[in-house]
Amino acid sequence: MPYIDESPTMSPQLSARSQGGGDSVSPTPPEGLAPGVEAGKGLEMRKLVLSGFLASEEIYINQLEALLLPMKPLKATATTSQPVLTIQQIETIFYKIQDIYEIHKEFYDSLCPKVQQWDSQVTMGHLFQKLASQLGVYKAFVDNYKVALETAEKCSQSNNQFQKISEELKVKGPKDSKDSHTSVTMEALLYKPIDRVTRSTLVLHDLLKHTPVDHPDYPLLQDALRISQNFLSSINEDIDPRRTAVTTPKGETRQLVKDGFLVEVSEGSRKLRHVFLFTDVLLCAKLKKTSAGKHQQYDCKWYIPLADLVFPSPEESEASPHVHPFPDHELEDMKMKISALKSEIQKEKANKGQSRAIERLKKKMFENEFLLLLNSPTIPFRIHNRNGKSYLFLLSSDYERSEWREAIQKLQKKDLQAFVLSSVELQVLTGSCFKLRTVHNIPVTSNKDDDESPGLYGFLHVIVHSAKGFKQSAHLYCTLEVDSFGYFVSKAKTRVFRDTTEPKWDEEFEIELEGSQSLRILCYEKCYDKTKVNKDNNEIVDKIVGKGQIQLDPQTVETKNWHTDVIEMNGIKVEFSMKFTSRDMSLKRTPSKKQTGVFGVKISVVTKRERSKVPYIVRQCVEEVEKRGIEEVGIYRISGVATDIQALKAVFDANNKDILLMLSDMDINAIAGTLKLYFRELPEPLLTDRLYPAFMEGIALSDPAAKENCMMHLLRSLPDPNLITFLFLLEHLKRVAEKEPINKMSLHNLATVFGPTLLRPSEVESKAHLTSAADIWSHDVMAQVQVLLYYLQHPPISFAELKRNTLYFSTDV
């Protein structure tokens, strides 16, 4: 029977687990509509959730009807001299379908009028509770599911008449749909009941989220959710039988456990591979290029039986094959191109542009996103076959590396046998990969549907409070990862809390989000063993003791108040709080109301008061960074602890005599963060509001000589305190970039961090320049980065020389 993949994107195994990465979902939803929240809004949301569910319930009932349609004629022929199927075969294939149909028809008929005549008094919790109480029928269906599929497969192969019936079952379209019928295979329809329980559970979550706790429906929905989750947990062990391929050497069914796209270093270059982890073998494959209309297939690059697979430790592993690293500035250029293309696509759609033009832009965007995905990962993940070859993957996230390693190690605990696949067996296994895969698309935004969330753009403030649940004392710290441009990157790291079972960090971080949808927290045990050799700069020898992930739900995060949550990981509980500031809110420069401090005060006022050429705060922060932070990996990019930054801000504002002592004790990332904050909070940018349009025009000039004249003239036009401070900072950033092999901060990286900080106009001026909040790499931001990069790449510029040289011609700016 031909295979049509109509399986859901979320398998039953996954859906019973929480989206936050824990092992189970509590029947109590996140704080949704607690008492006091707008009842009207909650009521509207409940109606929207139910309307959507009702529409999908109608489709589901039509699918069950289509499945039942051939059952009666098949039964009628079973007693004749020429039966298509026997009574026993019919009962096996259609087992419990009639019962499931009747349950859902009754549920739909009861719920529909309630949704159509919606008001605040409507209750429907009892309907969901009754539906959940009938899940025993689904249990019987699931237990028989594998046999039903096998029977249908055999009957299809032995009977042409049944094969024709099972390949094209007609499903009625919804009432309002133009499509009267669609053709679906019997195999796809038999999977629908399993998918339905998952959907119902997700809807119960959403309903609870928008139901006040004092509403009569609340306890009933809670009970229905508990029953549904228990049922899903019970069928988690019954992995979808279609996710299997041939058998293991011990005669057991070989099942696909995990798959995904990874970057492999092969023959000195990066290649994107689709990696499949089966119960007893890891297979690395590449999708073959096929002509249009032909069935796609995978080509096996290599495989390792799990019995032969080992993870070499950093000191045991061979030196990595040399791969020419992709320059940071080229990766940043790609991000800018992607964002510019995204803007163009949105404009075309808004103007109802030609679909051909949109497709052309989408193709360009995919090409850039693919290159970024291929060239950005740097964390090594080594795999060794004890009988020979080693393989190296590069990942962007230690979380992802840990997931792969844990999944393999869990399977290796079983009694596995070594084996060699014959060419036919390998062909069958590789051939099954296309049908079995769970990850269908390369994880880039151009592969997303238009209605999928674009993610959050702006700043996420996270406080990592504490952790509990450690069985023995250790040196512990946490890192934070968020996704952007289709992959995860590490954004912040707490300090190491030494020799404890209950670390209390209470550290706050400001994390820039670029279309992010998830936050990951990883908890590490610090390794101080100096015998561990780092063969790669990017090797992480510290041990992950726990990890978890939460979805960044805009409704939860986008509030002015802090939202406190707990992530559970391997028995460890990490408590944290977060709040989100959108990009347009974070762009505001707020002048200080008091002129006594230094933050939010004009630079000319500060230098005059101090009788200095460069503000004291700038000189001291730069001196401290050059003394002990110039070799710090990610200096100026890694977030400092927000509470430390605020403490330094207060000390500088008060001109406290303990400033130098405090600076010498403070974490270097906090000092770097204080310097960035000082420039960000200036009432107008260092390069001034007045000259901003001219800087934007100057950097866009094509002729190098004209650009040089213009850019130098603009510097000369700055007020002296601004110019001297800018040149002082410029030379400092160049010295930081000289240490790029150690600190990983190139001139381009530094321009990306400081460009918007030094150029972004103040609030009044910026209104004319702001694009949509979602377009983080807007044309303005790109230009701001390019202006600073121009000066960073320029030969040394001295104040005296600038003032001495005059242009052949002068124009007013």
Side-chain angles (χ1 to χ4, degrees), residues 365-366 369 440-450 452:
M365 185 167 142
F366 176 81
E369 286 193 301
H440 293 255
N441 293 317
I442 295 166
V444 292
T445 51
S446 42
N447 277 336
K448 280 186 179 180
D449 293 334
D450 289 343
E452 280 188 65

Side-chain angles (χ1 to χ4, degrees), residues 420-492:
V420 176
L421 293 172
S422 70
S423 58
V424 174
E425 285 174 324
L426 183 59
Q427 200 176 344
V428 170
L429 185 62
T430 309
S432 71
C433 287
F434 188 80
K435 173 181 168 181
L436 302 178
R437 61 189 182 159
T438 60
V439 181
H440 293 255
N441 293 317
I442 295 166
V444 292
T445 51
S446 42
N447 277 336
K448 280 186 179 180
D449 293 334
D450 289 343
D451 57 354
E452 280 188 65
S453 166
L456 294 170
Y457 290 83
F459 292 90
L460 185 70
H461 300 263
V462 182
I463 303 174
V464 182
H465 294 295
S466 59
K468 290 178 182 173
F470 296 97
K471 296 199 168 49
Q472 56 193 49
S473 290
H475 308 311
L476 303 163
Y477 69 92
C478 285
T479 64
L480 306 177
E481 292 182 356
V482 293
D483 56 319
S484 65
F485 294 95
Y487 59 92
F488 278 83
V489 281
S490 186
K491 288 282 192 175

